[in-house]
């Protein structure tokens, strides 16, 4: 059906999905309480490195001499640490495992615990839907002498295909284990498939999310004009001076259940997912890495129709918001095609202004931010916004960039 023909579903006929647990580690935040404290306080958790630290991390002097080299990256602490014994690994075995998989396994265990479930005593099937980012650790393993003598365990330890099945094996989960790889949309695509798996009866509970930890950890980037990466290490989403974002590390997981089951089981319900949607632009865009207005508008309208939601009832949108001169106007044009309402009635924010672009973990990090905002009844500020991008006509839609902490009423 075309956008104009979509009829919102009746809320009475929709089986929604409950978020009953969450866990995550983000730049400047080893846990979700710290993450929320940073968000509401407007903390920009993007550190800058000195040349000495970068040299020690292996950055060549010729790279450091490049005037375009930006010494910033939003990293998480302790990626080299892992409680191997807790998960039944020996130290040599643990060394073969990609840090992304180690951290994700720890967070998966924490997420289930926070949801109040011991998988050994849960009768239902628990699925895992998630993905990780480009794996630099695998290259280290392949070039290491241990690989020649222990190739298969090394490939299993560092291969991205084994992210979700490792969690299912170590936590004794018997639902689907689906590794999703769709670049920076990975974790939200994982959430979408987890919701479908629950609604289709493939599982009774699901872990969904993503992880992104680049190896080597300490790095900057070379700015290229017109590219996605910022020239000064700051992300200015929707601003006139927006010229890109910063790479970042993070891991986020949500625990999902059919709402009716969550209510019947007395679970803590942090938020409810009324509907999700997914599509692709096809060839209808100016380039492979550029989004299209029509594709984004269609999937937003489809999500609203699936959820039975009228756009005028939405008071906050957590945007992709990369802070690029091309991407921001396209995203806002698509949003304004779907959202109706008086100017200034819907707040807009972008987590990337706080922690950079978390790649495979970006979507679930924004979802967790929004859930925490709902729970606390506050909308945190979107940072580094002073004057609108002139290519965005904010007057033609309901949106306003939220630049200060305010009550969510």
């Amino acid at each position: 059906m075309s956008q104009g023909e979509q009829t919102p579903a009746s809320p009475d006929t929709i089986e929604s999905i409950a978020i009953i647990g969450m866990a995550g580690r983000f730049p400047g935040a080893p846990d979700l309480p710290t993450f929320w404290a940073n968000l509401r306080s407007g903390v920009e958790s993007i550190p800058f490195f000195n040349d000495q630290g970068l040299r020690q991390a292996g950055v060549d002097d010729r790279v450091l001499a490049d005037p375009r080299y930006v010494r910033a990256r939003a990293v998480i602490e302790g990626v080299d640490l892992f409680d191997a014994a807790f998960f039944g690994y020996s130290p040599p075995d643990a060394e073969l495992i990609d840090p992304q998989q180690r951290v994700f396994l720890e967070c998966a265990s924490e997420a289930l615990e926070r949801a109040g479930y011991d998988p050994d005593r849960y009768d239902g099937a628990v699925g895992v839907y998630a993905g990780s980012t480009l794996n630099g650790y695998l290259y280290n393993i392949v070039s290491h002498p241990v690989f020649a003598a222990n190739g298969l365990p090394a490939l299993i330890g560092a291969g991205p295909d084994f992210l979700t099945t490792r969690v299912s094996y170590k936590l004794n989960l018997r639902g689907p284990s689906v590794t999703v790889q769709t670049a920076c949309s990975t974790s939200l695509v994982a959430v979408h498939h987890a919701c479908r798996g629950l609604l289709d009866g493939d599982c009774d509970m699901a872990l969904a999310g993503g992880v992104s930890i680049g190896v080597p950890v300490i790095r900057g980037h070379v700015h290229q004009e017109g590219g996605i990466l910022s020239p000064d290490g700051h992300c200015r989403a929707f601003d006139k001076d927006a010229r890109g974002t910063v790479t970042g590390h993070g891991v986020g997981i949500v625990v999902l259940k059919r709402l009716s089951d969550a209510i019947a089981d007395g679970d803590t319900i942090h938020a409810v997912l009324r509907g999700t949607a997914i599509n692709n632009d096809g060839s209808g865009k100016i380039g492979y890495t550029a989004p299209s207005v029509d594709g984004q508008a269609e999937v937003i309208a489809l999500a609203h129709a699936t959820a039975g939601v009228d756009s005028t009832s939405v008071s906050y949108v957590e945007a992709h918001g990369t802070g690029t001169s091309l991407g921001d106007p396209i995203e806002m044009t698509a949003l304004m095609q779907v959202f109706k309402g008086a100017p200034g009635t819907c707040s807009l924010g972008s987590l990337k202004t706080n922690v950079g672009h978390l790649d495979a973990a970006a979507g679930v990090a924004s979802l967790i931010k929004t859930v925490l905002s709902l729970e606390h009844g506050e909308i945190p500020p979107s940072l580094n916004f002073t004057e609108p991008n002139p290519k965005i006509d904010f007057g033609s839609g309901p949106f306003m960039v939220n630049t200060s902490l305010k009550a969510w009423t």
Side-chain angles (χ1 to χ4, degrees), residues 3 6-9 11 274 296-318 332-348 396-400 408:
Q3 180 183 332
Q6 289 169 339
T7 301
R274 291 280 299 274
Q296 289 195 46
E298 287 170 3
V299 77
I300 295 166
L302 181 58
H304 287 181
T306 302
V309 170
D310 187 291
S311 69
T312 58
S313 69
V314 178
S315 53
Y316 177 72
V317 168
E318 173 65 24
M332 291 311 303
T333 301
L335 284 167
M336 290 179 186
Q337 282 191 10
V338 181
F339 280 82
K340 308 303 177 185
T345 56
C346 185
S347 296
L348 182 73
S396 65
F399 299 104
M400 62 175 181
W408 193 353

Side-chain angles (χ1 to χ4, degrees), residues 121-408:
R121 294 189 290 175
Y122 180 65
D123 292 333
V126 182
V128 187
Y129 300 79
S132 55
T133 197
L134 183 66
N135 186 352
Y137 198 72
L138 179 59
Y139 299 121
N140 293 346
I141 290 293
V142 169
S143 62
H144 196 279
V146 72
F147 183 78
N150 217 10
L152 182 58
L155 281 175
I156 293 175
D161 293 0
F162 308 104
L163 174 73
T164 56
T165 50
R166 182 182 305 282
V167 171
S168 295
Y169 173 59
K170 284 298 179 179
L171 302 186
N172 191 26
L173 309 181
R174 297 174 300 279
S177 299
V178 181
T179 297
V180 179
Q181 295 295 164
T182 61
C184 53
S185 64
T186 290
S187 56
L188 281 188
V189 171
V191 170
H192 170 79
H193 284 299
C195 291
R196 297 312 314 170
L198 287 164
L199 295 174
D200 291 342
D202 294 338
C203 53
D204 304 294
M205 186 160 52
L207 304 178
V211 57
S212 178
I213 299 172
V215 176
V217 173
I218 305 300
R219 279 291 186 274
H221 65 260
V222 176
H223 168 70
Q224 294 181 336
E225 195 62 39
I228 192 175
L229 296 176
S230 164
D232 61 1
H234 301 284
C235 178
R236 297 177 169 82
F238 315 115
D239 191 81
K240 66 177 181 62
D241 293 324
R243 294 174 64 195
T245 186
V246 179
T247 57
H249 296 167
V251 55
I253 299 175
V254 292
V255 184
L256 307 175
K257 213 177 192 184
R258 290 180 290 270
L259 178 59
S260 58
D261 291 343
I263 293 172
D265 295 338
D267 295 318
T268 296
I269 298 174
H270 298 276
V272 174
L273 300 177
R274 291 280 299 274
T276 66
I278 184 172
N279 74 349
N280 194 276
D281 294 308
S283 60
K285 51 187 180 181
I286 61 174
Y288 178 65
T289 60
S292 77
V293 171
D294 291 343
Q296 289 195 46
E298 287 170 3
V299 77
I300 295 166
L302 181 58
H304 287 181
T306 302
V309 170
D310 187 291
S311 69
T312 58
S313 69
V314 178
S315 53
Y316 177 72
V317 168
E318 173 65 24
H320 185 56
T322 54
T324 60
S325 57
L326 177 65
D328 283 0
I330 290 175
E331 181 177 11
M332 291 311 303
T333 301
L335 284 167
M336 290 179 186
Q337 282 191 10
V338 181
F339 280 82
K340 308 303 177 185
T345 56
C346 185
S347 296
L348 182 73
S350 170
L351 177 61
K352 291 178 182 65
T353 63
N354 301 91
V355 298
H357 194 339
L358 306 188
D359 196 66
V364 73
S366 293
L367 174 59
I368 290 172
K369 170 192 171 181
T370 307
V371 173
L372 292 171
S373 297
L374 281 167
E375 286 195 311
H376 291 88
E378 294 179 319
I379 300 177
S382 194
L383 308 183
N384 305 321
F385 180 85
T386 57
E387 189 175 333
N389 185 322
K391 297 179 182 178
I392 300 174
D393 182 11
F394 280 103
S396 65
F399 299 104
M400 62 175 181
V401 179
N402 188 63
T403 57
S404 61
L405 180 70
K406 73 175 185 180
W408 193 353

Side-chain angles (χ1 to χ4, degrees), residues 47-78:
F48 286 76
F49 309 116
N50 60 37
D51 285 0
Q52 180 182 356
L54 288 165
R55 288 191 185 96
Q56 290 175 347
V59 179
D60 191 275
D61 280 336
R62 289 171 295 182
V63 175
L64 294 175
D66 190 328
R68 301 170 301 165
Y69 189 72
V70 181
R71 294 156 171 78
R73 190 184 220 181
V75 299
I76 60 175
E77 300 293 330

